[in-house]
Amino acid sequence: MQEEINMTNREKYILSIYEELSDMGKHENVKLVKNTVNDGIYIKKTLKNYNIEIYKILKNRQIKGIPKVYEIIEDEKELIIIEEYIHGLTLDKKYNKTDVETVKKIMEQLCNILKQLHNMNPPIIHRDIKPTNIMVSNDDVVYLVDFNISREYDENQSVDTVIMGTQGYASPEQCGFAQTDCRSDIYSIGMLMKNILMVDEYPANAINILAIFPPLNPGGKNDCFIFSSVSF
C-alpha cells in the first residue's frame, strides 16, 4: 500500500505559481499551464499510478529526446509532475503511412532515446511505447513521453510486479510470462514501425492481426490483451 504523503508549504507555493490554461486533449489529468513568474508554458500531470523513482531519475539526468522534468510533488497518493511542453504533435497525428526515409529518421531518434534509458544502471524500461506516447516537435525532433508505467530492470525478479501495457504494442512478457527488459521496448518499436508507419494500420483495428501474430496458446490464458486504460 502506498504511503500517503502531504505537500509541504514550499511545494504548495511552487504549484500555486502554475496557472492552469486548458486540458490537453481528452486527458483531464494533463493540463497546459503557465508559470506566472517567468511566463513559461509547461505541462502539469497528476498521476495515480506511478513510480516516483523513475521521475526522480529523469529530473536529475538530462536525456535527449525526453521532456525535461522540473517539479515532482507527491500529495495524498498522487504524483504531480511539471515538465517541458513540446511544441508538436503525437506520432499518430503527425503521420499516417509514410515513406521509408521518414520512418528511418523517426526510428533512429527513438532508438537513440532508448539506448540512453537502457544503458542506465539499472536500465529503465518504458513499457508503453505507442504512437500517442511519441511526440514529434515542429522542427522534427522525436520525444518519448509518459513514463507512468515505466520501471527499472531488476535482475533478481522473474516477472513484473504489475502487469501493464497497451494492446498491439505490449510484448508477450507484459502478459505476465516473464519480467520486462530492454527487449520489451524493442519489440514495441518494431510493432510501431510495422503497424503505423509502414502499413497505416493500428493494431486495435487490424482484423487479421492474429493471423499475422497468433497467440502463444490459442484460446487459452496466454491469449492476453488486457491493457491501455491504465496508461494515463
Side-chain angles (χ1 to χ4, degrees):
M1 182 178 292
Q2 223 165 14
E3 181 183 354
E4 187 167 311
I5 298 175
N6 295 317
M7 279 190 285
T8 63
N9 288 333
R10 180 180 179 278
E11 289 172 333
K12 290 178 181 178
Y13 167 73
I14 290 172
L15 283 184
S16 73
I17 69 176
Y18 289 95
E19 175 189 354
E20 293 186 359
L21 301 177
S22 64
D23 293 340
M24 291 297 291
K26 63 182 179 179
H27 303 290
E28 295 181 358
N29 64 321
V30 183
K31 309 281 187 182
L32 187 68
V33 296
K34 177 181 178 181
N35 185 311
T36 56
V37 175
N38 64 19
D39 289 331
I41 301 297
Y42 301 87
I43 293 294
K44 175 185 175 183
K45 295 180 180 179
T46 303
L47 310 176
K48 295 187 181 296
N49 296 298
Y50 58 87
N51 182 340
I52 192 171
E53 296 306 318
I54 295 294
Y55 281 99
K56 286 179 178 178
I57 293 170
L58 296 181
K59 182 181 179 183
N60 292 330
R61 297 189 56 172
Q62 296 302 301
I63 301 175
K64 184 178 180 181
I66 295 176
K68 178 176 173 55
V69 176
Y70 292 96
E71 304 291 347
I72 303 171
I73 298 173
E74 201 167 14
D75 184 47
E76 296 182 354
K77 298 183 181 179
E78 291 185 339
L79 189 69
I80 301 168
I81 304 292
I82 303 293
E83 68 179 30
E84 178 183 4
Y85 171 61
I86 304 301
H87 295 266
L89 296 171
T90 54
L91 193 61
D92 58 317
K93 294 179 180 177
K94 179 81 171 179
Y95 300 108
N96 287 312
K97 184 177 179 180
T98 188
D99 62 275
V100 173
E101 286 305 312
T102 301
V103 172
K104 286 169 61 178
K105 290 177 182 178
I106 293 169
M107 299 309 293
E108 181 179 8
Q109 291 186 66
L110 187 56
C111 286
N112 284 335
I113 297 169
L114 287 179
K115 181 179 179 181
Q116 297 173 83
L117 292 172
H118 293 170
N119 281 344
M120 290 185 175
N121 187 20
I124 290 179
I125 316 302
H126 187 277
R127 295 207 303 165
D128 201 20
I129 295 174
K130 58 184 179 182
T132 54
N133 283 346
I134 299 169
M135 294 285 300
V136 182
S137 69
N138 293 340
D139 53 351
D140 291 326
V141 176
V142 173
Y143 289 84
L144 182 60
V145 303
D146 292 337
F147 286 76
N148 306 348
I149 66 170
S150 300
R151 63 184 295 274
E152 292 179 287
Y153 177 74
D154 183 351
E155 62 181 10
N156 297 314
Q157 195 167 302
S158 59
V159 296
D160 287 357
T161 313
V162 180
I163 299 175
M164 290 184 176
T166 296
Q167 176 180 339
Y169 299 99
S171 60
E173 55 270 24
Q174 286 178 259
C175 291
F177 300 126
Q179 181 186 188
T180 49
D181 60 23
C182 301
R183 294 169 295 181
S184 306
D185 285 343
I186 294 170
Y187 176 98
S188 295
I189 65 172
M191 294 299 289
L192 173 81
M193 180 170 62
K194 173 196 169 293
N195 288 300
I196 306 302
L197 299 176
M198 299 298 290
V199 299
D200 189 20
E201 187 174 61
Y202 286 79
N205 299 326
I207 296 174
N208 295 320
I209 192 69
L210 292 181
I212 301 170
F213 295 102
L216 296 180
N217 181 18
K221 291 183 179 179
N222 290 350
D223 189 0
C224 176
F225 292 116
I226 56 178
F227 316 109
S228 202
S229 62
V230 294
S231 298
F232 256 104

